[in-house]
Amino acid sequence: MTFGKGCHLHLIDGSAFIFRAYHALPPLTRKSDGLPIGAVAGFCNMLHRYVEGNTGPDAPTHVAVIFDKGSHTFRNDMYDLYKANREAMPEDLRPQMPLTRRATEAFNIACKELEGYEADDMIATLSVQAREAGGRVTIISSDKDLMQLVGGGVEMLDAMKNRRIDRDGVHEKFGVYPERVVDVQALAGDSVDNVPGAPGIGIKTAALLINEYGTLEELLNRAGEIKQPKRRETLIEHRAQIELSKRLVQLDCETPLDFGLDDLEVKDPDPDTLLSFLAEMEFRTLSKRIADQLGAEAPEIVEPDAPSAPAGTPEAPDFGEATYEKVSTAEELERWIALARARGYVAVDTETTGLDEMRADLVGVSLCVEAGHACYIPLAHKEGEEGQLFGSDELTEGQIGLEQCLSLIKPLLEDPSVMKIGQNMKYDAKMLKRYGIDIAPIDDTMLMSYALHAGEHNHGMDALSERYLGHNPIPIKSLLGGGKSAITFDRVGIDDAVKYASEDADITLRLWQIFKPQLHAQKVTSVYERLERPLVPVLAQMEMHGIKVDRDTLSRMSNAFAQKMAGLEAEIHELAGRSFNVGSPKQLGEILFDEMGIEGGKKGKTGAYATGADILEELATEHELPARVLDWRQLSKLKSTYTDALQDHINPETGRVHTSYLQTGATTGRLASSDPNLQNIPIRSEEGRRIREAFVAEEGKTLIALDYSQIELRILAHIAGIDTLKQAFKDGHDIHAMTASEIFDVPLEDMTPDIRRRAKAINFGVIYGISGFGLARNLRIPRGEAQGFIDRYFERFPGIRAYMDETTEFAKSHGYVETLFGRKIHTPEIAAKGPRAGFAKRAAINAPIQGTAADIIRRAMIRMPEAIAGLPAKMLLQVHDELLFEVENEAVEQTIAVAREIMESAAEPAVKIDVKLIVDAGQGANWAEAH
DNA sequence: CCTGTCACG
DNA sequence: GACGTACGTGACAGGG
C-alpha cells in the first residue's frame, strides 16, 4: 500500500519504551544463564499490549519503532555539553539493548535507527513525510521534545496514561502551540538534556514572553523593550546561548533515511519467529499468552523448578549440599545475628509443641540468610527416647537457654532495618509475641504466593517448595509420627530438628527470592503490600484477643438439644418400625426408599440414596419420618458443631475462644476461619441463632457488630455500571423490591413479600453467575419459569449481561480476573471443556464482586487499629461483611461512629465507588443482641 | 481418608 | 441435543 490519505503511521519512541520497562521492573534474569532480561521482558510486554490495543479507528496502517543509535550526534558537534549530564547506561541494561531490537523484529514491526541522529529526528522526518503525503501520524511517546511536531494530523500518545496529546494538549503543557514550542524550550532550557536556555527563565515566563512578542527572534530583537530589568539583561546577555539552545531542541526534519514510509506497513507477526524468540528469552507467561492468542502451541521453556537455579541466585546450592548448623552457644548465635544484620534480611521459622499458637510452647528457632546456609537454635528440646512412656523433663545438653536466646535475638527480630521473612508469619508472630517479641518488619512467602497465584494452587510450604524449588521437604510426620503415638517437637532429637527446621528456613528464603521480583512483574506489589502484609499483625491481634464464650450457656443448650434429639429419635424409630442410626445417610436412605417403599429415591455415585435436606423436604409434605429427621439433623448439627465443640475451644487461661484466620484460604480474597470456625455461627434459624447468646462481652463491656449493607450488590452496580441500581441505592430504596418492581412490572406500593423474595433470589443469583437451573432449584419453581425471570432481568438490566460476558472473555484471554483493587484471581479452568467450564465461568463472574468486597473490608481492618487506638475498644471478629468489637460501655457510641466511618470510606482513596457504602450497627451484651 | 450434610456470608 | 450447573468457605459423622 502506498502511504497517503487514509493511512495512519504510528511511530514508537523505542528508547522511552526501554527505559520505562527497565525502571518499572525489578532486575530479572534469564533463569538458564542469569542474563539480565528485565527490560526486554517489560519491552515485550509493552509491545504486546500495544499490538493488542491496535483495534478500531485509531489502528495504524504503518508502524515503526525508532531507536537512538550511538551516543554522538550532530548536536554534540554544536555543543559538547549536550546531554553531558546524563548518567551512563546501567551495566545490566547495556546487553539488553540489542535484544530489544530483536524483540521488535520478532513482533514483525519495522525497527529503525540512524547513526549520528537521535530517534527524535527520525520521528520528526517521518512525521513530516507522512503529513505531506496526507496521512495521519501518532507518535507514541511522552517526550516533550517531540511536542513541536504536533498538529496537521500529527498527535502524540502517552501510552502509559493512554492519553492523546493534540495541539491543545501541547498548549496546556507549554503555554504555546506546537510551532512555538522550540522557542519556549530555547528560553527555558532543559536540565535533563543539559540545554542551557536563559538562566532564571522557566516554561511559564518563556511562554509569557513568546506570546507577547510572537516569536523568539522578535523577542531577542526587541529584548531592550522588556520592562523587567532582570529579564531584559538576561535575554541580551545570553542571546547566543539562547540561539544555540534553539538549534539543540529543534528537531531535524530532513534526516537522510534509506527507507520510505511504504516500508513501514503493518504486518502480522510470524508465530514461529515470535514464539521462538520469546522462548529463547524464557518468557513463560507471555509466550503462553501470545501462543494462545495466535492459536499456536507455546514452545517448551525450561521449568523454573528444573535443575537450574532460581532467578537471582545462580549459585544456590542443591538442598542435598546445603549446610545446616546447630547453634548451641551464645557466640554462635551472635555470629548468625551479625550475618543477618549484614544482609538486611533473614528467613525465620519457629518450632513449637503444637499448632495452637495460644497454647504451644517455643522449642527452637531457625534462621537462613542465604540459600543453602541455615541454622537451628534448639531451646527446649527434652531427653526421651522413642517408645519410652514418659519422656524425662530434663533439657537436652548443648542448648542456649531460652531467656538468653530471646534477649540476644529480640533486637534483631525487632530491628526495623532487617526484613524478617517467613512462611505464614502470623503463626510465628503470635508465638513470639507470647515471649515478648514484636517481630517486624516482615515478609511472608505464603502471602506472596497468594497475591501471585490465587486460584492456581494452595500456598502451603510443601506445595510451594515442590512447585517452585523442585524439592520435597522433610515431612513433619517423619519426625513426629502420626495418630495417637505422635510426639511433640520438643521430643525430636536435636540433629533431626536441625535438618528439618533449617530446611524450612532455607526453603522460605529461596521462595522469597523467587516471589519478590515476581510481585513487581505481575503487578501485584500493591495487593501484597497494601492488602496482605499489613493484615498480618491485625489478624494476629484479633486472634489473640479472642471472644468470651460462656460455657454454661452452651452446656445448658447442649443438654436441651440432647433431650429433644432423644425424643425425636424415638419417634423416628417408631415411624420406621425399627431402630437405626438416624445420623447415617446410608441407613436412612435404605429405610426410606427400600423398607418404607417411598418412590423417587436417587442413588449417588457411591450407590447410597441421596438424603439431603432438599430431598427430605420434598418427602416431608407426604411423610412424617423425613420431617422428624430434618428436625433431628438440625439439632444434631447445632449440638455437635456448636454447643459441644465450642466448649472445647475455650482457652482455659483466657476463658475466651481464639479462632485462627487463614488469609490465603479463599481464592477470592476472603478470609477463612478455623479452629473453631467463627464465620459460620448459626443465625438463620431461631434455634441456632440462640447460640450467639453464648458469645458475650466482659462485665462492663458491650459487643458491637457493624456490617456492610448489601455490599456485593453495590459493587455489582458499580462494576457493571447499572444506573438504575445505583440510583436505587442512592435513594435508599429497598433494592430487592425495586428489582422485583422492574422485572415483574409490579408497582412498589403493590409489592408482596413473595414477589420480593423472588427478586432477592435473582439478585443473589446474578452475583453467583446465574443459571436457570440454579435459580429454579433455589426458588423451587420450574426451570422454564426461572429462565423467564432471568431473561426479563437481563432485558431490564442489559449492563449485567454485558458485565458477565466481558468478565468471562477477560478470564479466557488473560487466565485471571481482577478486583477493583488489582487482586488477581486466576481461572485456570476457564479453558476446560464440559461442566468444569461452567463452574469456572460462574466463579470468574463472582470473583471480582466477592473479591472487591473482601478487599474493602480488609482495608477497613488494616486502618482500624490506628483509628480506635484511643478508645477502650478491641476488634474481635470478621465475618466477611461484618466486624465485631468489644468496647467499654461508655465508649460504645463513639466506637460505632469511628469504626463506621472507617468502614464506609474503606475503598477510598484507591477506588471511588459510585455507590455509597452503608454500614449498619448493632450492640448488646451478646452477639445475638448485637447483630 | 473421602463423602455427604449443613452451618455461615 | 444432552448434560449438569447457582459463588465462597469449615466441621462433623459415618463408613470403608
Side-chain angles (χ1 to χ4, degrees):
Chain A
M1 192 204 306
T2 308
F3 192 93
K5 202 164 162 49
C7 288
H8 187 178
L9 171 64
H10 274 197
L11 294 168
I12 298 173
D13 181 350
S15 305
F17 261 42
I18 294 171
F19 277 94
R20 190 167 276 171
Y22 177 77
H23 291 292
L25 289 177
L28 305 175
T29 54
R30 184 158 68 185
K31 290 208 167 67
S32 59
D33 60 359
L35 178 75
I37 212 83
V40 185
F43 184 85
C44 287
N45 270 313
M46 291 164 75
L47 220 47
H48 174 239
R49 234 181 316 152
Y50 160 78
V51 173
E52 260 192 324
N54 274 342
T55 53
D58 285 334
T61 57
H62 296 69
V63 61
V65 181
I66 314 292
F67 292 98
D68 292 313
K69 184 163 193 185
S71 56
H72 191 93
T73 69
F74 67 93
R75 291 190 179 80
N76 296 104
D77 296 334
M78 283 186 224
Y79 182 55
D80 53 8
L81 292 177
Y82 179 69
K83 293 200 176 178
N85 54 355
R86 280 279 169 94
E87 278 188 39
M89 185 181 296
E91 274 311 305
D92 58 333
L93 179 55
R94 195 176 298 275
Q96 301 190 61
M97 299 306 267
L99 293 173
T100 57
R101 270 64 162 179
R102 284 190 51 204
T104 312
E105 282 158 5
F107 276 89
N108 212 4
I109 297 173
C111 170
K112 301 293 178 189
E113 52 197 320
L114 186 61
E115 185 71 50
Y117 292 89
E118 294 184 50
D120 288 358
D121 296 309
M122 293 178 71
I123 291 173
T125 305
L126 289 165
S127 296
V128 169
Q129 287 180 5
R131 193 170 60 197
E132 284 170 356
R136 273 182 74 195
V137 180
T138 298
I139 300 168
I140 293 149
S141 171
S142 50
D143 188 340
K144 58 183 174 2
D145 294 339
L146 290 165
M147 291 192 176
Q148 58 185 279
L149 301 170
V150 171
V154 179
E155 287 187 352
M156 286 177 68
L157 177 69
D158 184 338
M160 214 53 182
K161 296 176 187 147
N162 199 23
R163 203 169 69 94
R164 286 200 156 264
I165 300 163
D166 55 10
R167 286 176 55 82
D168 291 330
V170 173
H171 192 275
E172 219 171 277
K173 170 93 188 163
F174 278 104
V176 293
Y177 286 98
E179 49 276 11
R180 297 272 76 86
V181 162
V182 284
D183 291 355
V184 168
Q185 285 186 290
L187 284 170
D190 182 352
S191 58
V192 178
D193 292 347
N194 212 26
V195 172
I201 292 182
I203 287 183
K204 287 278 155 60
T205 314
L208 200 79
L209 290 168
I210 296 297
N211 283 326
E212 192 176 338
Y213 290 86
T215 67
L216 181 65
E217 290 65 36
E218 186 73 13
L219 170 68
L220 292 177
N221 288 337
R222 292 165 52 195
E225 301 171 19
I226 296 174
K227 295 181 193 78
Q228 297 91 337
K230 221 176 186 159
R231 278 185 200 168
R232 186 174 60 233
E233 281 158 29
T234 303
L235 289 180
I236 293 169
E237 187 181 335
H238 296 101
R239 178 170 186 146
Q241 188 176 315
I242 294 165
E243 285 167 342
L244 168 68
S245 295
K246 178 161 178 172
R247 290 201 301 279
L248 288 173
V249 297
Q250 179 82 60
L251 296 178
D252 182 351
C253 299
E254 289 169 353
T255 53
L257 300 178
D258 58 358
F259 62 93
L261 291 173
D262 297 345
D263 299 322
L264 307 181
E265 201 166 338
V266 169
K267 286 171 283 186
D268 283 332
D270 170 49
D272 287 347
T273 315
L274 179 53
L275 291 172
S276 66
F277 173 77
L278 296 172
E280 185 192 331
M281 294 297 113
E282 298 171 16
F283 299 152
R284 305 177 71 249
T285 317
L286 191 61
S287 297
K288 201 177 164 308
R289 187 175 301 162
I290 291 180
D292 286 351
Q293 287 166 356
L294 294 175
E297 191 77 26
E300 193 147 348
I301 298 172
V302 196
E303 290 292 318
D305 57 6
S308 63
T313 56
E315 77 288 3
D318 284 355
F319 281 94
E321 289 152 23
T323 49
Y324 297 150
E325 290 177 25
K326 169 183 148 191
V327 171
S328 38
T329 65
E331 290 69 36
E332 287 171 328
L333 177 54
E334 278 166 348
R335 189 171 58 77
W336 276 93
I337 290 171
L339 283 174
R341 287 192 187 284
R343 284 269 171 175
Y345 58 81
V346 56
V348 181
D349 188 31
T350 56
E351 303 302 335
T352 66
T353 55
L355 287 173
D356 181 350
E357 318 91 314
M358 293 297 294
R359 304 180 71 164
D361 295 318
L362 190 61
V363 176
V365 178
S366 55
L367 304 175
C368 178
V369 290
E370 175 184 305
H373 194 203
C375 72
Y376 178 62
I377 312 147
L379 298 171
H381 285 259
K382 292 171 184 166
E383 292 296 342
E385 286 166 27
E386 239 179 299
Q388 210 175 314
L389 191 52
F390 298 104
S392 141
D393 277 344
E394 293 275 309
L395 284 177
T396 312
E397 302 251 316
Q399 301 186 76
I400 305 176
L402 184 67
E403 290 302 320
Q404 190 184 8
C405 171
L406 291 178
S407 65
L408 285 173
I409 210 167
K410 180 178 157 87
L412 175 75
L413 298 185
E414 296 184 345
D415 187 334
S417 67
V418 181
M419 176 64 78
K420 270 70 64 173
I421 303 151
Q423 164 75 10
N424 189 16
M425 263 297 204
K426 176 159 65 66
Y427 180 89
D428 305 273
K430 282 172 74 177
M431 203 64 220
L432 291 165
K433 177 75 188 172
R434 285 184 36 230
Y435 289 84
I437 294 176
D438 288 298
I439 189 168
I442 58 150
D443 253 340
D444 191 325
T445 47
M446 184 177 81
L447 301 183
M448 289 179 166
S449 173
Y450 185 57
L452 286 163
H453 303 294
E456 288 178 344
H457 51 74
N458 64 30
H459 312 282
M461 190 166 77
D462 291 359
L464 298 183
S465 177
E466 195 191 331
R467 199 177 182 98
Y468 297 99
L469 305 173
H471 174 71
N472 288 96
I474 303 168
I476 186 69
K477 263 198 173 170
S478 71
L479 300 184
L480 304 183
K484 265 183 145 172
S485 59
I487 56 168
T488 47
F489 202 85
D490 55 334
R491 300 287 173 182
V492 171
I494 290 185
D495 289 346
D496 283 341
V498 168
K499 291 192 195 105
Y500 173 84
S502 303
E503 186 188 77
D504 271 10
D506 188 7
I507 290 168
T508 304
L509 188 83
R510 294 180 198 232
L511 289 172
W512 181 75
Q513 288 170 336
I514 290 176
F515 289 150
K516 192 86 180 170
Q518 282 188 6
L519 289 176
H520 208 86
Q522 302 299 316
K523 311 244 184 315
V524 287
T525 307
S526 97
V527 170
Y528 171 70
E529 289 185 354
R530 307 242 173 122
L531 296 174
E532 301 297 342
R533 197 171 55 185
L535 196 59
V536 172
V538 179
L539 293 178
Q541 269 294 310
M542 291 169 69
E543 294 170 13
M544 291 179 79
H545 287 318
I547 183 164
K548 187 175 178 187
V549 172
D550 187 70
R551 185 186 297 275
D552 289 347
T553 306
L554 290 177
S555 159
R556 273 199 303 275
M557 293 174 91
S558 278
N559 291 336
F561 290 152
Q563 269 194 1
K564 273 197 183 178
M565 282 167 71
L568 285 167
E569 205 170 317
E571 262 186 80
I572 291 165
H573 289 165
E574 174 87 29
L575 289 162
R578 70 174 175 95
S579 87
F580 69 101
N581 185 346
V582 182
S584 163
K586 183 166 171 269
Q587 293 179 33
L588 175 67
E590 285 159 14
I591 294 276
L592 286 169
F593 301 111
D594 289 341
E595 297 184 20
M596 293 177 65
I598 296 175
E599 295 291 307
K602 283 197 205 88
K603 289 188 176 178
K605 46 191 157 194
T606 55
Y609 289 108
T611 66
D614 46 346
I615 289 167
L616 295 189
E617 266 167 52
E618 263 186 56
L619 300 180
T621 55
E622 300 272 332
H623 305 274
E624 181 112 22
L625 188 142
R628 294 290 160 271
V629 172
L630 281 170
D631 293 340
W632 183 91
R633 277 201 184 153
Q634 191 198 5
L635 295 175
S636 164
K637 179 78 176 181
L638 295 178
K639 182 170 185 293
S640 66
T641 310
Y642 301 104
T643 56
D644 286 353
L646 270 176
Q647 296 185 53
D648 299 334
H649 281 286
I650 298 174
N651 183 305
E653 279 175 40
T654 63
R656 296 168 78 94
V657 171
H658 306 267
T659 185
S660 183
Y661 288 104
L662 187 55
Q663 217 175 314
T664 59
T667 51
T668 53
R670 271 196 181 179
L671 302 178
S673 157
S674 70
D675 309 297
N677 181 354
L678 295 187
Q679 291 183 320
N680 71 346
I681 302 301
I683 192 165
R684 292 173 190 169
S685 79
E686 182 49 40
E687 221 150 15
R689 171 190 278 258
R690 296 202 52 206
I691 290 170
R692 295 189 173 218
E693 292 172 10
F695 290 76
V696 295
E698 296 275 1
E699 191 70 29
K701 296 185 182 176
T702 300
L703 291 181
I704 299 174
L706 292 109
D707 68 288
Y708 284 106
S709 164
Q710 318 269 26
I711 186 165
E712 291 191 354
L713 277 176
R714 287 172 199 264
I715 289 166
L716 175 69
H718 170 85
I719 295 184
I722 313 297
D723 290 333
T724 328
L725 287 181
K726 289 189 205 170
Q727 191 61 40
F729 278 122
K730 195 172 179 185
D731 299 340
H733 287 158
D734 176 338
I735 201 70
H736 300 312
M738 196 283 295
T739 308
S741 167
E742 291 278 353
I743 55 179
F744 298 121
D745 281 331
V746 179
L748 277 175
E749 50 274 23
D750 296 345
M751 189 55 53
T752 68
D754 189 60
I755 297 175
R756 182 183 180 277
R757 185 181 62 86
R758 289 170 177 227
K760 184 175 174 179
I762 297 171
N763 276 334
F764 279 104
V766 165
I767 293 171
Y768 299 150
I770 200 157
S771 78
F773 181 91
L775 182 66
R777 197 172 64 173
N778 191 290
L779 287 177
R780 284 160 215 181
I781 56 174
R783 202 184 139 167
E785 199 180 335
Q787 191 56 51
F789 292 174
I790 294 170
D791 292 343
R792 257 179 288 174
Y793 184 93
F794 283 143
E795 234 169 77
R796 196 54 207 81
F797 302 107
I800 304 265
R801 155 81 47 83
Y803 161 75
M804 292 182 157
D805 294 345
E806 283 159 20
T807 306
T808 32
E809 272 315 303
F810 188 95
K812 276 182 193 153
S813 58
H814 293 79
Y816 65 86
V817 292
E818 268 182 314
T819 68
L820 288 184
F821 298 89
R823 174 186 301 284
K824 291 183 180 178
I825 297 121
H826 295 268
T827 56
E829 297 269 76
I830 198 88
K833 291 271 171 272
R836 285 141 62 104
F839 275 119
K841 182 180 163 214
R842 290 189 296 271
I845 290 168
N846 173 257
I849 304 168
Q850 186 180 117
T852 297
D855 290 346
I856 288 173
I857 197 166
R858 278 171 177 243
R859 288 168 64 91
M861 292 169 74
I862 289 163
R863 291 179 192 174
M864 200 60 75
E866 197 185 319
I868 62 172
L871 297 165
K874 301 270 185 269
M875 180 161 60
L876 305 186
L877 300 179
Q878 188 249 42
V879 192
H880 308 309
D881 64 355
E882 167 187 357
L883 292 175
L884 191 74
F885 298 81
E886 185 178 30
V887 56
E888 303 269 1
N889 291 341
E890 61 272 18
V892 167
E893 294 306 326
Q894 210 187 336
T895 304
I896 290 176
V898 171
R900 171 181 270 148
E901 172 56 27
I902 295 291
M903 288 173 75
E904 290 184 344
S905 65
E908 300 159 22
V911 169
K912 175 81 191 104
I913 297 185
D914 297 342
V915 182
K916 195 168 181 294
L917 298 181
I918 298 291
V919 168
D920 297 325
Q923 52 169 299
N926 62 57
W927 198 1
E929 283 179 27
H931 201 280

